[in-house]
Amino acid sequence: MELEIQTTDRLDVVDVTSTVEDALSDAVESGTCTVFVPHTTAGVIVNENERRLLADLENALERLLPRGDGYEHDAIDDNADAHLRATILGESVTVPIVEGELALGTWQSILFVDCDGPRRRRLRVTVLSA
């Protein structure tokens, strides 16, 4: 199944947990749910959706890989920082499904991180029954 996400900033973190939960089939009681980002400048992570933590994440990514820091790829698209940030974040997460629901921890959320927005993005959600 494919989901669409709209981001609003160059570096934007969007909680997609409820969107992914809505995509789960009622028929799956136990299994896994994989969320995959088919973009080279975006990633997906599992962490806490807390405003200050998300600001810390954005600041950390900007400090680790600042925009326009002399990257070779910038000669092509001027977005090497976004590609490198996405590489660090990763392109997928897999979450267990238990009793028909995502088995996330109390404070865990599935977060989509767009490193080269604003854009309309896609997420691919694959559910496997156990």
Side-chain angles (χ1 to χ4, degrees), residues 1 7 14 16-17 21 31 33 39 43-45 47 49 52-53 60 79 82 85 89 101 110 113 116 118 120 125:
M1 165 175 308
T7 59
V14 179
V16 296
T17 309
E21 285 173 337
C33 175
H39 303 285
V44 63
I45 61 173
N47 213 310
N49 181 12
R52 291 167 295 213
L53 180 61
N79 68 348
R85 292 171 183 178
L89 296 168
E101 296 186 8
I110 301 172
V113 184
D116 195 25
R120 186 172 298 283
V125 177

Side-chain angles (χ1 to χ4, degrees), residues 46-50 53-54 107-109 111:
V46 172
N47 213 310
E48 183 176 357
N49 181 12
E50 190 277 318
L53 180 61
L54 300 183
W107 301 110
Q108 289 183 319
S109 295
L111 304 171

Side-chain angles (χ1 to χ4, degrees), residues 35-128:
V35 180
F36 174 79
V37 179
H39 303 285
T40 60
T41 57
V44 63
I45 61 173
V46 172
N47 213 310
E48 183 176 357
N49 181 12
E50 190 277 318
R51 174 182 57 81
R52 291 167 295 213
L53 180 61
L54 300 183
D56 290 340
L57 172 63
E58 291 176 10
N59 290 331
L61 289 171
E62 289 172 355
R63 279 194 314 276
L64 283 170
L65 296 157
R67 187 170 187 187
D69 200 30
Y71 307 111
E72 296 282 329
H73 181 74
D74 281 347
I76 298 170
D77 284 341
D78 195 31
N79 68 348
D81 61 304
H83 287 281
L84 295 168
R85 292 171 183 178
T87 299
I88 289 172
L89 296 168
E91 73 289 337
S92 68
V93 296
T94 299
V95 179
I97 299 170
V98 177
E99 296 179 5
E101 296 186 8
L102 295 174
L104 292 166
T106 302
W107 301 110
Q108 289 183 319
S109 295
I110 301 172
L111 304 171
F112 173 79
V113 184
D114 192 345
C115 301
D116 195 25
R119 294 179 186 238
R120 186 172 298 283
R121 299 292 198 159
R122 294 174 293 134
L123 291 176
R124 292 195 179 128
V125 177
T126 303
V127 177
L128 296 176

